[in-house]
Amino acid sequence: MTEAVTPPSPSPSDPPSEALPPEKPGGSSADSASAENAITPADIRDGAAVALLVGVAGVLLGALWVWLAPRVQYVSNGEAVFLRNTESEGRIGSDGTFLLLSAGLGALSAVAVFLWRRRGGVPLVIGLGVGSVFAALVGWRVGLWLGPTSDLAVAAGKAGRGVPFDAPMQLLAYGALLGWPMVAMLVHLGLTAVWGPKDPPAPEAEPWAGAYTTPDGLLPRPPQD
């Protein structure tokens, strides 16, 4: 006659050394994703190159501004200098021309940067923003330099009494300097959101994961003979 052997129940004093924590699915994928998003020296070099190239493009903004902006003219009576047409909207048109040119060049620079480095990255975006601000300032100062002289007395003396002459370039609304950086950031953000590389989806847990775990998240020990 054979007696039934009942396996002993685990003692409360037994250490839970055999209890194994459940493995987290997708841990290696998360590590690889974080490694891919890490900033490398190459990314920093790309951001610096973008800032430099976009900033130099401000020279084009200044040249186009001088060429396309409407001119304001002065006239001298030999003693003082006056506006030739007091109702002229040339100064407002000059600010508007600068803003439109800045917006157009900002959009072009954002498209060029996106096509060059489609994957984007924080250093690239920072380089585009810094370069855009610098380009707007360069375009403004280059326009003042390429335009008519700011010395009205000299200009009036060269023109002669009663002869109109062009007024120097002037930017009355300094908020137009934000046109290039704001448009560049918005366009680059939109391009990255629509056509940029997408992040891989997070791995889903197996349907049986956690089905045989205890409330504290540990796997139960197998019964001992």
Side-chain angles (χ1 to χ4, degrees), residues 5-209:
V5 180
T6 304
S9 59
S11 174
S13 60
D14 293 341
S17 59
E18 299 180 5
L20 301 176
E23 296 183 358
K24 297 181 178 180
S28 59
S29 300
D31 296 340
S32 61
S34 60
E36 292 178 357
N37 295 330
I39 297 176
T40 62
D43 296 333
I44 298 177
R45 288 195 299 269
D46 291 344
V50 167
L52 179 61
L53 294 176
V54 174
V56 171
V59 177
L60 178 60
L61 171 62
L64 292 176
W65 183 37
V66 174
W67 181 34
L68 298 176
R71 298 300 178 88
V72 177
Q73 289 190 326
Y74 287 132
V75 64
S76 174
N77 61 0
E79 298 179 358
V81 175
F82 305 94
L83 281 172
R84 182 185 181 187
N85 184 5
T86 57
E87 298 181 357
S88 174
E89 298 180 355
R91 293 191 180 278
I92 300 177
S94 179
D95 290 359
T97 302
F98 186 90
L99 180 59
L100 291 177
L101 290 173
S102 298
L105 292 174
L108 289 177
S109 62
V111 172
V113 170
F114 176 76
L115 294 178
W116 182 51
R117 288 291 185 269
R118 188 178 296 268
R119 59 186 176 86
V122 175
L124 202 69
V125 175
I126 293 177
L128 178 60
V130 173
S132 298
V133 173
F134 187 66
L137 294 175
V138 168
W140 173 41
R141 301 307 301 180
V142 168
L144 298 181
W145 177 62
L146 293 178
T149 178
S150 58
D151 193 339
L152 297 181
V154 174
K158 290 182 178 181
R161 182 175 182 177
V163 179
F165 60 93
D166 291 335
M169 302 295 296
Q170 189 176 5
L171 191 64
L172 299 179
Y174 292 110
L177 295 172
L178 300 177
W180 189 318
M182 290 183 63
V183 172
M185 292 289 99
L186 291 176
V187 172
H188 189 271
L189 177 62
L191 293 174
T192 304
V194 177
W195 289 292
K198 307 299 181 182
D199 295 333
E204 298 181 357
E206 297 293 338
W208 46 266

